Amino acid sequence: MKIIIFSGQENFTREVRQLIDEKKIQDISLVVESAGQETEKLAKSYYDKGAKVFIARGQNYDLLRDQYDIPVVNVKCNYEDILLAFQKVPKNSKKIAILGYGSIFDMITKFKTISKETFTPIEFKDVEVIDSLVEDASKAGFDTFIGGIRTKQACKKFNLNHIMLEISSSSIEIALSEAIHLLTIQTERDKNFELIQTLLDSTNDAVISYDQNKAITFINAKTKQLSQRCSLKKLSKAILNEFNSAMIFDSGESVQDTLIEIDNVKYILSIMPLKSEQQIYGAVAYLKSAAEIISSESSRLSIIAWADI
């Protein structure tokens, strides 16, 4: 699956599945109900299987947004989500608490300020502490809680009232549309990358690209072939020596047709800086065997001599 949606609320799950059916994207989308450590575990599994975009809300979003090199789309919580949930509170409730995390907790406190309703906002940093928070609050007289799936589980455990936080279908649709758009862009980039990789693999030059920290980001088929007789570490070390002497990242100048020797084999090396808006963000090195160049040139001259006979 390409798009994974992490839901921490039953109504989130229901709404997003309905939208997935309407958009007919069941073949690329999957909804999982999870929170906290379970979300982290599932996210890693789906990422390893090739997921391209995550969608999440609240703590699930905060847990994922900085962990992976794929987009994580946030389903935003709005004022109406809190209002609609609060309107479902039983009239005989004595004390009410609404649990939230991050941006959802911010919206809860905003709702309290604007609405002037009587309830207590409770913030949590980890879903694993929700049980103890609910238990402590119940001992203080709270009998009704508004929150997500883990809050519901805690309320069931202590025989307390629970109201599921609402989520607007428009917020989900916006997030889902953004995820589909990002997936489309990523698919085009992947196609372009595959084309570029195919072209680079077809050249007789060994190609190695580096980021601004001089870490290797790409090698082509010829480089892999060379590294079977001379380790990639040795190849890269010799190239980086030229980086340092030419001050590639400082001057932005290229290195052209420099003769280097690695394990008694001579190579011709060229290095080009990679720039974006005058900023150098990496470099690419081209390495070819000097012996192959001489052999190729000798063959060319032989053909020319034969043709002149």
Side-chain angles (χ1 to χ4, degrees), residues 99 127 129-135 145 148-162:
L99 280 72
V127 294
V129 304
I130 287 178
D131 276 12
S132 61
L133 287 175
V134 170
E135 183 179 20
F145 296 81
I149 289 173
R150 291 299 294 268
T151 304
K152 180 181 180 179
Q153 292 170 350
C155 288
K156 184 177 180 181
K157 180 178 179 180
F158 300 111
N159 195 28
L160 301 163
N161 297 322
H162 174 264

Side-chain angles (χ1 to χ4, degrees), residues 30 65 74 103 110 120 167 222 225 239 249 260 289 302:
L30 178 69
R65 63 179 175 176
N74 184 25
S103 59
K110 182 179 180 180
T120 299
I167 183 167
K222 184 66 174 181
Q225 182 182 333
I239 292 169
F249 289 117
I260 64 172
S289 166
S302 296

Side-chain angles (χ1 to χ4, degrees), residues 49-63:
K49 291 175 182 176
K52 298 296 183 183
V53 185
F54 289 154
I55 297 177
R57 190 187 198 207
Q59 191 194 39
N60 278 346
Y61 171 74
D62 287 343
L63 285 172

Side-chain angles (χ1 to χ4, degrees), residues 211-238:
D211 64 16
Q212 64 269 33
N213 298 316
K214 300 179 184 177
I216 294 174
T217 57
F218 173 82
I219 62 173
N220 71 341
K222 184 66 174 181
T223 306
K224 293 174 185 176
Q225 182 182 333
L226 283 178
S227 64
Q228 291 177 359
R229 54 184 173 180
C230 174
S231 71
L232 182 60
K233 186 176 180 180
K234 278 189 178 180
L235 286 173
S236 186
K237 183 179 179 180

Side-chain angles (χ1 to χ4, degrees), residues 93-97 118 120 137 140-145:
S93 296
K94 297 175 183 177
K95 295 180 74 174
I96 306 161
T118 304
T120 299
F142 287 84
D143 61 344
T144 301
F145 296 81

